[in-house]
Amino acid sequence: CVVWDLRKNDPIIKVSDSTSRMRCKVVAWHPDVATQLCIASEDDHTPVIQIWDLRLASSPLKTLEGHTKGVLSVAWCQADSDLLLSCGKDNRILVWNPNSGPGEIVAELPTSNQWSFDVSWCPRNPAIISSASFDGRVSLYSLMGGQQQVQPSNSVSDSFGPGLGEVAGQPQHTPQVTCQLKSPPKWLRRPCGATFGFGGQLVSFETVAGVGGAPSKPAVYISSVVTEPELVEASSKLETSLREGNLGDFCQAKLATLGEDGDKSKLWQFIGASFGENCDQQFLKLLGINLDELSSQLKALLEPVKENGIEDEVIEKVADLEVTEASDEFEMIAAQAVAAPEEVPAEAEAPALTTLDQVFSLSKDPTSDQGQLTIALLAGDIELAVDLAIKQNRFAEALILSIRGGQELLLKTQALYFQKAASEDKDVSSVALVEAVAMGSWEKLVEHCGLDSWREVLAALVTYTDSNTKQVLSGRLADRLSADGGDNVVNGLLCYMVAGDL
C-alpha cells in the first residue's frame, strides 16, 4: 500500500507488513486522525483488517480479526470514528469499534445468500448503511434498532417466474432480524449541556477536543449562579439543619420570622410539632384542645353542690365583723355567740341505695315484659334475655346483661343500639363520636363528619387511634378539606402535617 503526494505526483511512504504476505484490497482513512488509515486483505489465508499510523509505519497499530475469508470492502463512519464497517467473502457484514482495545465487533448485519462486495455509510444520516451484493441487490440497514425484513432468495421463483416457488398448504415465513449497537453512537450524544442544582449550583459539560490527535474528552464544570441571595441563605440553613438533625430549631427560627398569626405560621407550628417527642399532645394543643382543662371542667360539673353553702357564706361574713363594747346584755350574748360558734359535727354521708336494697317481687308471667325477662334470666340464657330487652326498648338493661354474655354479645348489642339511634329522626351528633370510640368505626367518622367539625375529628384520631390509622385517616380528612376549597385548604394542610404526608 503506497501513499502518494498528488501535488508532486510522487510516492510518500509505502505501508507493508513484513511479518505477513497479505494482499491489500481496500483502504479507508481515519475520519478524525489524518495520519491513520486501515487496509484490508482479500486473501482467504489472512482475512484481517490492519490499522496503521504513517508516523509509525514499521508495523500496524492494531489488527482486527473476525472474518473467516477475504475482506472485500471497508468503510469508516465519518460521524463516529468508533464505527468501522467491513464485508467479506464469508458472507458477513461486521461493524467494528477499532478504538476499543484489540478491536471489538459491536454488531453484525443480516445478509442474503450472495456475498456483499461493497458497503457504505449514508452521508446525511449516519445510522443508515447500504450494501451491494453479487445477486444484484442493494440492501439498506438501520443501526437504531427495529426490525428489518430479509427477502429470501428462491431459485425456483427466479427461474420460472413469481408464484411458482410456493408450495400449496405451506405457510411462507419471512425472517425478521433486529440490528442494534451495544452502545449509543457519537451523533446521539449531546456535545454540551447545562442543568441547575440545589443551592444555586449550575452544572455544565462539553466535549474538549484532544491535542495532537488525542481522542476527545468530556469536561464537567460546576459554578454558582446567585440571583436571589436570600433564597440561597435559606437553602443553606435548611441543608445545615438536615445534616445536623436539628429540624425543630429550624422550625422555631422560621416561626420567629413569620410571627404567630397567619396561615403560614399555623403550618410551620404543625411541622415543628411533628419533629417533637410528644407530637400528639402538641397537635392537640395547636388544635385548641386542652384535655386537662376539659377534664377539670367536667369533674366540677359532676361534683354535688354543698347543702350548707349558704351557712358558710353567712359565717364568713359574720366572722369579718369586729365586736366593740356591748351596750347591753343582749348584745354581749350575741357577740359571744358569734365569736365562738359551736362546731356541729358533719353527718356521715349515707350510702346510695340500689334496687336490691328495696323490697321487690319477681314475676314469671310470660305475657308481661318483666316476666319474659325474668324467665330468660332464670333459665341462664343471657343472649335471649338481651334480645328480649332490646325488643322491649330497654337498651340500658341489654347493654349491662351483654357484658356478662361476653365480648361478642357486647359488640352485637352495641351495634344494635347505634342502629336504632340512627333510625330515629333525631340529631345523631352526640352519639356519633360515642359509636366511633366504642366500635372503632373511625373510617365512618372521617367519611361522614361535617367539615366544620374537622378539628374535633382530628383530635379524636390523635387521642384514640394508633400511628398507622392516624396517618391514613388524617390524610383522608385532609383530602376532603382540600377538595372543598376556600379556607379549608389551609385546614387540609394541617391535617396533612398530622398524617406525616409532607
Side-chain angles (χ1 to χ4, degrees):
C1 177
V2 180
V3 180
W4 291 73
D5 187 350
L6 297 181
R7 293 173 298 180
K8 299 179 181 181
N9 197 19
D10 292 332
I12 298 177
I13 190 172
K14 182 179 180 180
V15 177
S16 63
D17 188 3
S18 60
T19 60
S20 64
R21 297 180 179 179
M22 59 176 293
R23 291 182 299 174
C24 179
K25 171 65 176 176
V26 288
V27 180
W29 287 95
H30 196 291
D32 297 333
V33 184
T35 60
Q36 293 186 8
L37 55 84
C38 74
I39 59 177
S41 171
E42 66 172 350
D43 190 359
D44 294 343
H45 298 287
T46 56
V48 296
I49 301 173
Q50 292 182 345
I51 308 297
W52 287 80
D53 194 326
L54 300 182
R55 295 168 295 182
L56 301 171
S58 59
S59 62
L61 295 178
K62 193 175 300 182
T63 300
L64 309 180
E65 299 179 355
H67 288 280
T68 58
K69 292 185 178 181
V71 181
L72 299 178
S73 177
V74 293
W76 217 319
C77 181
Q78 299 298 314
D80 189 353
S81 59
D82 291 340
L83 297 178
L84 177 66
L85 194 61
S86 67
C87 65
K89 299 177 184 178
D90 54 358
N91 199 19
R92 298 178 69 189
I93 300 177
L94 302 179
V95 182
W96 302 79
N97 183 1
N99 299 324
S100 64
E104 178 187 7
I105 299 176
V106 296
E108 181 174 358
L109 304 180
T111 58
S112 60
N113 295 330
Q114 297 295 328
W115 300 347
S116 295
F117 61 87
D118 191 15
V119 289
S120 178
W121 297 87
C122 178
R124 293 175 178 266
N125 187 357
I128 304 299
I129 298 173
S130 66
S131 68
S133 57
F134 285 108
D135 57 1
R137 295 180 179 178
V138 176
S139 302
L140 299 180
Y141 305 90
S142 174
L143 295 180
M144 304 309 296
Q147 292 182 340
Q148 304 172 353
Q149 293 187 354
V150 179
Q151 300 294 336
S153 177
N154 193 316
S155 59
V156 177
S157 300
D158 296 341
S159 302
F160 296 96
L164 297 179
E166 294 85 1
V167 180
Q170 295 294 329
Q172 300 296 324
H173 297 284
T174 301
Q176 293 182 344
V177 184
T178 300
C179 177
Q180 189 171 1
L181 296 175
K182 295 182 179 180
S183 60
K186 288 184 178 179
W187 62 80
L188 293 181
R189 303 173 188 172
R190 292 191 294 176
C192 60
T195 182
F196 281 98
F198 190 75
Q201 300 294 325
L202 177 64
V203 181
S204 59
F205 67 92
E206 64 177 353
T207 302
V208 180
V211 180
S216 303
K217 295 183 179 180
V220 180
Y221 309 98
I222 301 177
S223 56
S224 298
V225 179
V226 180
T227 57
E228 298 182 8
E230 296 180 356
L231 180 60
V232 175
E233 183 181 0
S235 63
S236 301
K237 292 181 179 179
L238 179 58
E239 283 185 331
T240 304
S241 299
L242 291 174
R243 183 172 57 254
E244 298 178 357
N246 54 352
L247 298 177
D249 297 339
F250 178 81
C251 295
Q252 294 298 326
K254 191 71 176 180
L255 284 173
T257 58
L258 294 176
E260 297 295 334
D261 299 330
D263 296 335
K264 291 186 178 180
S265 299
K266 293 181 181 178
L267 184 60
W268 277 103
Q269 287 175 0
F270 273 79
I271 295 176
S274 62
F275 296 118
E277 296 180 356
N278 197 358
C279 60
D280 290 343
Q281 297 297 328
Q282 294 296 327
F283 287 147
L284 292 175
K285 183 178 179 181
L286 293 175
L287 290 173
I289 298 176
N290 191 337
L291 297 180
D292 296 335
E293 182 179 353
L294 293 177
S295 299
S296 300
Q297 294 177 359
L298 293 177
K299 290 179 180 178
L301 293 176
L302 294 178
E303 291 180 356
V305 182
K306 294 183 178 180
E307 295 180 357
N308 57 349
I310 300 176
E311 295 181 1
D312 295 340
E313 184 179 359
V314 174
I315 293 175
E316 291 176 359
K317 292 181 179 181
V318 174
D320 293 337
L321 298 177
E322 295 181 359
V323 180
T324 57
E325 296 181 357
S327 58
D328 53 15
E329 297 178 357
F330 294 100
E331 293 179 358
M332 181 67 69
I333 295 173
Q336 293 177 357
V338 172
E342 296 181 1
E343 296 182 0
V344 180
E347 298 181 357
E349 184 178 357
L353 300 179
T354 66
T355 55
L356 293 177
D357 294 326
Q358 302 176 7
V359 179
F360 60 88
S361 61
L362 300 177
S363 173
K364 294 187 295 182
D365 185 7
T367 59
S368 63
D369 295 342
Q370 182 64 34
Q372 295 174 359
L373 187 59
T374 301
I375 294 173
L377 290 175
L378 293 178
D381 195 342
I382 301 296
E383 186 173 359
L384 178 59
V386 170
D387 293 339
L388 289 173
I390 294 174
K391 183 179 179 181
Q392 299 170 10
N393 201 19
R394 300 167 64 179
F395 275 95
E397 291 87 341
L399 289 171
I400 294 174
L401 290 174
S402 62
I403 297 175
R404 181 65 181 271
Q407 185 67 21
E408 182 178 357
L409 182 59
L410 177 60
L411 294 176
K412 176 183 176 182
T413 307
Q414 290 175 348
L416 292 174
Y417 170 74
F418 293 123
Q419 291 174 6
K420 183 179 183 302
S423 63
E424 298 177 352
D425 295 335
K426 297 180 180 179
D427 185 12
V428 296
S429 300
S430 59
V431 188
L433 184 58
V434 177
E435 180 181 356
V437 174
M439 305 296 294
S441 304
W442 300 109
E443 294 184 1
K444 292 183 178 180
L445 181 70
V446 172
E447 182 179 356
H448 299 290
C449 70
L451 295 181
D452 56 340
S453 303
W454 71 270
R455 195 182 304 270
E456 290 75 15
V457 173
L458 184 61
L461 295 176
V462 172
T463 304
Y464 289 101
T465 60
D466 53 44
S467 60
N468 293 332
T469 305
K470 177 186 66 176
Q471 293 176 0
V472 174
L473 296 183
S474 298
R476 293 184 184 178
L477 181 60
D479 294 339
R480 289 189 60 194
L481 291 169
S482 301
D484 186 67
D487 297 337
N488 284 329
V489 174
V490 178
N491 300 333
L493 291 176
L494 302 181
C495 293
Y496 280 129
M497 292 298 102
V498 176
D501 190 357
L502 300 180

